[in-house]
């Protein structure tokens, strides 16, 4: 009576296309689609530091869904189609451009270290940086010269990527400011999406507190992955706070038992 069984594909028999540090990509239900699964793994310093943090994947899935849906709504093209469940979303299959595109509004992290600018200093204008996605090389910073010379992206694609980065930065800055959060910097990734014979650049991967620096506007409390990188604790509480402020989680909702706790 095999034909009476539901035709759901068990999780462990789905074709896994790619596994990264915080996410897994599975084959999607239709050609040209993938399922993006958010794990609870937190890594930093090229995975030299690693920990499983209960509930992180669920929060990032919800926060990234919210941001990508809004970007789609305002006409910023992304790979996002819809959320499927607590940990997974349906996305369009794209060819990832091997660059991490970092946009900075306020000095922090590697910029502060590299140039000796105190963390928290407002930058004279938003700055876009490119890093070559290559774990073996520790994602080195590269210039447009390297990107075009080595063929990672064409000059036209770099223009498109920078235009998207500025739009995403403007949108996120306003979104977070409205809920009392300062967008210090963030990282985004882009992909090439084929539609018939056309190819265009879209925002891909995720945008979540794993890939942004988010500071409370009044207290400067960190509401992002620096809590893990810098051993501050309270990561799930901080991500939950971001989700609550964005209206994604109800005030009484918490990903784990114990009720909501304010970040210290
Ligand atoms: P950085 O100051 O360490 O260069 O980080 C800049 C931004 O990019 C920050 O918001 C964190 C994010 N980021 C990632 O999402 N992935 C990474 O691998 C790194 C190094 C930074």
């Amino acid at each position: 009576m095999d034909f009476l069984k539901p035709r759901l594909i068990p999780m462990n028999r789905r074709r896994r296309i790619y596994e990264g540090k915080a996410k897994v990509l599975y084959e999607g239900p239709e050609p040209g689609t993938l399922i993006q699964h958010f794990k609870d793994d937190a890594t930093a310093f090229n995975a030299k530091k690693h920990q499983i943090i209960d509930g992180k994947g669920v929060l990032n899935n919800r926060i990234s869904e919210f941001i990508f849906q809004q970007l789609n709504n305002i006409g910023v093209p992304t790979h996002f189609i819809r959320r499927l469940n607590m940990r997974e979303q349906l996305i369009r299959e794209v060819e990832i451009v091997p660059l991490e595109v970092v946009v900075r509004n306020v000095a922090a992290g590697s910029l502060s270290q590299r140039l000796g600018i105190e963390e928290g200093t407002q930058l004279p204008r938003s700055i876009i940086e490119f890093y070559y996605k290559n774990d073996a090389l520790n994602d080195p910073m590269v210039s447009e010269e390297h990107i075009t010379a080595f063929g990672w992206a064409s000059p036209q694609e770099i223009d498109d990527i920078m235009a998207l980065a500025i739009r995403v930065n403007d949108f996120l800055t306003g979104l977070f400011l409205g809920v009392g959060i300062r967008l210090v910097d963030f990282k985004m990734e882009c992909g090439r999406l084929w539609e018939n014979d056309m190819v265009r650049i879209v925002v891909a991967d995720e945008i979540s507190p794993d890939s942004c620096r988010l500071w409370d506007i009044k207290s400067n409390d960190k509401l992002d992955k620096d809590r893990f990188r810098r051993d501050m604790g309270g990561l799930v509480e901080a991500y939950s706070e971001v989700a609550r402020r964005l209206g994604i989680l109800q005030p009484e909702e918490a990903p784990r038992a114990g009720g909501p706790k304010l970040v210290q």
Side-chain angles (χ1 to χ4, degrees):
M1 294 298 227
D2 250 9
F3 66 92
L4 287 178
K5 292 202 181 120
R7 293 174 61 94
L8 290 174
I9 303 169
M11 286 252 279
N12 55 5
R13 246 182 284 152
R14 283 196 311 211
R15 202 155 76 87
R16 192 165 35 171
I17 306 286
Y18 174 83
E19 177 148 10
K21 286 176 280 213
K23 295 187 292 297
V24 188
L25 294 179
Y26 296 99
E27 192 172 46
E30 289 163 37
T33 65
L34 295 175
I35 293 169
Q36 177 164 260
H37 176 107
F38 288 75
K39 301 189 283 185
D40 280 337
D41 298 63
T43 66
F45 315 116
N46 203 6
K48 284 199 242 342
K49 183 176 167 128
H50 176 235
Q51 198 184 322
I52 307 284
I53 302 184
D54 255 10
K56 182 177 82 83
V58 170
L59 283 158
N60 281 350
N61 184 30
R62 296 289 295 272
I63 295 170
S64 198
E65 169 202 13
F66 180 83
I67 291 171
F68 275 76
Q69 186 58 60
Q70 302 238 24
L71 289 172
N72 284 344
N73 291 347
I74 61 165
V76 175
T78 81
H79 73 163
F80 180 82
I81 302 173
R82 65 187 154 85
R83 183 166 64 85
L84 296 171
N85 56 50
M86 293 301 274
R87 286 192 182 273
E88 295 176 330
Q89 41 186 247
L90 185 65
I91 58 170
R92 288 187 204 290
E93 186 171 21
V94 298
E95 181 186 81
I96 291 287
V97 176
L99 298 173
E100 300 208 338
V101 182
V102 169
V103 184
R104 301 181 185 272
N105 302 303
V106 176
S110 70
L111 178 104
S112 289
Q113 286 197 340
R114 203 180 322 118
L115 302 180
I117 303 173
E118 195 187 345
E119 283 211 327
T121 310
Q122 185 74 38
L123 296 171
R125 61 175 176 80
S126 302
I127 294 173
I128 302 178
E129 296 172 343
F130 299 106
Y131 295 83
Y132 178 45
K133 259 173 81 74
N134 185 319
D135 282 342
L137 300 175
N138 255 318
D139 296 350
M141 187 157 81
V142 292
S143 73
E144 294 183 43
E145 283 285 292
H146 302 108
I147 297 168
T148 51
F150 297 119
W152 299 324
S154 69
Q156 176 61 53
E157 286 176 328
I158 296 180
D159 285 352
D160 293 350
I161 290 169
M162 290 179 75
L164 281 180
I166 291 164
R167 291 186 74 191
V168 172
N169 184 50
D170 286 348
F171 170 74
L172 289 180
T173 298
L175 175 75
F176 285 119
L177 198 56
V179 297
I181 293 173
R182 193 170 180 207
L183 178 67
V184 170
D185 56 34
F186 70 96
K187 183 265 299 188
M188 63 171 223
E189 295 185 25
C190 293
R192 297 184 185 94
L193 178 64
W194 268 271
E195 284 167 324
N196 306 317
D197 278 349
M198 298 279 286
V199 56
R200 64 174 172 150
I201 296 286
V202 303
V203 183
D205 193 53
E206 70 177 289
I207 299 178
S208 72
D210 264 12
S211 57
C212 301
R213 281 200 177 90
L214 304 170
W215 295 358
D216 181 85
I217 212 95
K218 288 203 190 114
S219 64
N220 279 332
D221 277 349
K222 296 185 197 308
L223 302 173
D224 57 59
K225 200 167 115 181
D226 271 348
R227 299 202 76 87
F228 168 71
R229 294 190 191 97
R230 302 181 188 193
D231 294 319
M232 302 168 78
L235 180 134
V236 163
E237 290 77 6
Y239 287 25
S240 303
E241 176 68 16
V242 172
R244 266 193 296 274
R245 290 200 199 176
L246 292 173
I248 299 167
L249 283 187
Q250 295 312 305
E252 68 278 7
E253 251 185 286
R256 284 187 297 174
K261 274 185 230 104
L262 279 180
V263 179
Q264 297 303 307

